[in-house]
Amino acid sequence: MKIIIINGPNLNLLGKREPTVYGSETFEDYFNDLKSKFPAIDLSYYQSNIEGELIDKIHEVGFSFDGIILNAAAYTHTSVGLGDAVKSIETPVVEVHISNVYQREPFRHNSYIAANAKGIIVGFGLKGYELALNSF
Ligand code: CA2
């Protein structure tokens, strides 16, 4: 089974800034642990701060992979283009957010991804990615 985790803008700072909101573990460390927990899954990881690069990656994997775990970060709340990309592909997408966006500012309550996602996991910290992986 081929699954990719796609992270959006600023998530490259995980573990390096704002530990009270996003925790103190880097995503690279978390990802390596996750890979060793799921040796049977061909798990890859992509991060970009650039909206068009995220769209290109969704197009690239969206007809051949078995699943996409997508944390589009702030673009979740702003990007019609990412929402359209998720709608246009065949691979199921699970939307993940580390924080509980519904406990935060109202602008984080809207998602352009959610309507076309297979499911949504919010507020469980980095563990949300593992929960998403278990859903495929
Ligand atoms: O909770 C999430 O996973 C979010 O997708 C994170 C986004 C935020 O804009 C969404 O509303 C919810 C922000 C990612 C920023 O990541 C940082 C990590 C460490 C330090 C600073 C930013």
Side-chain angles (χ1 to χ4, degrees):
M1 185 152 58
K2 271 171 93 78
I3 308 275
I4 186 168
I5 296 173
I6 301 179
N7 275 344
N10 299 307
L11 287 166
N12 53 308
L13 297 177
L14 279 173
K16 297 165 192 158
R17 298 276 188 280
E18 296 191 50
T20 51
V21 185
Y22 299 111
S24 52
E25 190 172 8
T26 67
F27 197 81
E28 287 72 16
D29 286 348
Y30 176 77
F31 179 72
N32 287 333
D33 285 351
L34 200 57
K35 263 183 93 75
S36 56
K37 265 189 177 175
F38 293 85
I41 295 180
D42 181 354
L43 184 62
S44 52
Y45 166 54
Y46 178 78
Q47 189 276 332
S48 176
N49 295 321
I50 299 167
E51 188 175 6
E53 288 186 354
L54 294 165
I55 292 170
D56 282 346
K57 181 56 75 172
I58 288 168
H59 292 170
E60 183 190 318
V61 300
F63 299 90
S64 54
F65 278 49
D66 301 296
I68 298 173
I69 299 170
L70 176 62
N71 184 346
Y75 291 146
T76 305
H77 319 300
T78 62
S79 178
V80 175
L82 269 171
D84 284 349
V86 168
K87 191 173 180 182
S88 72
I89 59 169
E90 286 169 2
T91 300
V93 173
V94 174
E95 177 178 350
V96 168
H97 296 287
I98 297 163
S99 62
N100 183 345
V101 286
Y102 299 102
Q103 291 175 346
R104 303 182 66 188
E105 304 94 320
F107 70 84
R108 295 186 203 274
H109 300 180
N110 175 59
S111 166
Y112 284 103
I113 315 291
N116 293 295
K118 179 183 179 202
I120 303 157
I121 297 169
V122 305
F124 290 98
L126 289 178
K127 193 173 169 55
Y129 292 92
E130 182 174 347
L131 296 172
L133 202 48
N134 275 314
S135 77
F136 286 107

